Amino acid sequence: MASDRPARRTCGIAQRTAGLAQEVLERAKRRKVSWPEPVEEDSERLNVAFASIVEFMSQTTKECEKYYSHVPARRCQENEFKHVCRYHSTRAAENLLQTLQQEKNETSPMSNAAETPKQRARKASKDLYIEVSPGTYSVTATSEDMAKQTHVVDVNAGQSIDLTFSI
């Protein structure tokens, strides 16, 4: 008889749990959610708000580009060069890099002339090994003068891929 009691208790707990679950399910079926329909005037206001944000961003970009066109390139830090190359027109980035190159030439014209193209290429050459999971990757290399080149590769398990960037 003592062994029969725990079995009855377990059975009673299971029946009570099943009953509670059935009640919750019935209450959920009776509930109905009514979502409000979007109001047309709200979407119009949002469109106007987004248009003003886009206009503001455009003005800010122009002012930022104007600022970097007047700042001496030698005063710019690496993150500022990256900013110009990433967020501004190619023309703005080229102007900044051209100005930097002119300033370098003015300060030390002999050092650039003394280097041969082979020496510059050897100095810039770098091997890099990266282990990644299988998948598709976009790999971008940026040179010291902020020139960029991108390769898109699909890597399979156990595969080794060599990429060569000529920048």
Side-chain angles (χ1 to χ4, degrees):
M1 228 186 207
S3 65
D4 194 29
R5 245 187 210 167
R8 276 194 226 158
R9 184 183 300 164
T10 306
C11 188
I13 291 172
Q15 285 177 341
R16 189 173 40 194
T17 303
L20 289 173
Q22 187 68 32
E23 285 178 31
V24 169
L25 182 62
E26 292 301 320
R27 278 186 281 164
K29 285 181 181 177
R30 288 190 302 260
R31 288 189 192 140
K32 185 177 181 181
V33 177
S34 57
W35 297 100
E37 291 295 319
V39 180
E40 187 64 32
E41 90 179 33
D42 285 347
S43 64
E44 288 175 18
R45 286 192 342 216
L46 278 175
N47 287 340
V48 169
F50 280 118
S52 66
I53 289 171
V54 168
E55 184 181 336
F56 175 72
M57 289 172 66
S58 175
Q59 289 173 342
T60 304
T61 300
K62 287 177 187 174
E63 290 300 316
C64 188
E65 227 174 277
K66 191 187 328 181
Y67 169 79
Y68 281 111
S69 69
H70 291 92
V71 170
R74 66 179 175 280
R75 287 188 41 214
C76 293
Q77 296 176 353
E78 183 181 346
N79 63 336
E80 292 175 302
F81 284 112
K82 288 179 181 178
H83 167 84
V84 171
C85 291
R86 176 180 259 174
Y87 297 110
H88 297 294
S89 67
T90 307
R91 185 178 49 81
E94 288 171 354
N95 288 344
L96 187 62
L97 294 172
Q98 186 178 17
T99 306
L100 181 63
Q101 191 62 40
Q102 288 172 352
E103 289 174 1
K104 278 184 181 179
N105 289 342
E106 289 171 4
T107 57
S108 59
M110 295 306 285
S111 63
N112 289 340
E115 272 188 353
T116 66
K118 275 188 178 178
Q119 287 172 324
R120 275 186 242 133
R122 209 175 303 126
K123 188 166 107 180
S125 179
K126 200 179 256 188
D127 289 338
L128 185 64
Y129 174 78
I130 301 173
E131 194 170 314
V132 296
S133 299
T136 302
Y137 295 90
S138 173
V139 183
T140 303
T142 307
S143 68
E144 288 178 4
D145 63 350
M146 302 313 250
K148 290 183 181 182
Q149 187 176 6
T150 301
H151 291 291
V152 177
V153 292
D154 189 26
V155 181
N156 298 319
Q159 184 181 20
S160 177
I161 297 178
D162 291 331
L163 299 176
T164 303
F165 295 88
S166 54
I167 48 176

